[in-house]
Amino acid sequence: YGRNQQSFVYPLAPDRSPPVALRDGRWKLLVHADGSHAELYDLKSDRAEQINLAGKETAVARRLTRTAINWRNSLP
């Protein structure tokens, strides 16, 4: 889950990737296990994951966060 400045430069957390990830069609969500710090990317238009759309696409971010956290909480 670590990031480095050479290979994995992302706008929000340059040193650490949120540990829960979900892909749904064009959308990719990264979020912490408590549901905080959501990062939402539109992989169709932003393959490099440079633009976090969680603040703009709030309904998508909320839906995917719920799905990801429910899945995470179902694990033993």
Side-chain angles (χ1 to χ4, degrees), residues 1-2 4-5 10-13 15-16 24 26 30-31 33 37 48-49 54 57 59 61 66-67 69-70 72 74 76:
Y1 299 107
N4 64 58
Q5 294 300 315
Y10 289 86
L12 285 183
D15 60 334
R16 195 90 177 132
D24 182 29
R26 68 193 285 173
L30 301 171
V31 67
H37 294 44
E49 300 175 26
E57 297 286 345
R66 272 193 312 271
T67 301
I69 298 308
N70 286 341
R72 174 69 170 81
S74 74

Side-chain angles (χ1 to χ4, degrees), residues 3 7 10-12 16 25-26 38 49-51 55-56 60 71 73:
R3 293 180 173 169
S7 301
Y10 289 86
L12 285 183
R16 195 90 177 132
R26 68 193 285 173
E49 300 175 26
Q50 295 295 306
I51 304 168
K56 184 176 179 183
V60 174
W71 168 80
N73 290 337

Side-chain angles (χ1 to χ4, degrees), residues 28-48:
K28 178 180 175 182
L29 177 85
L30 301 171
V31 67
H32 289 286
D34 65 0
S36 66
H37 294 44
E39 298 177 29
L40 180 68
Y41 300 100
D42 181 350
L43 298 179
K44 184 175 180 183
S45 64
D46 180 22
R47 295 181 134 223

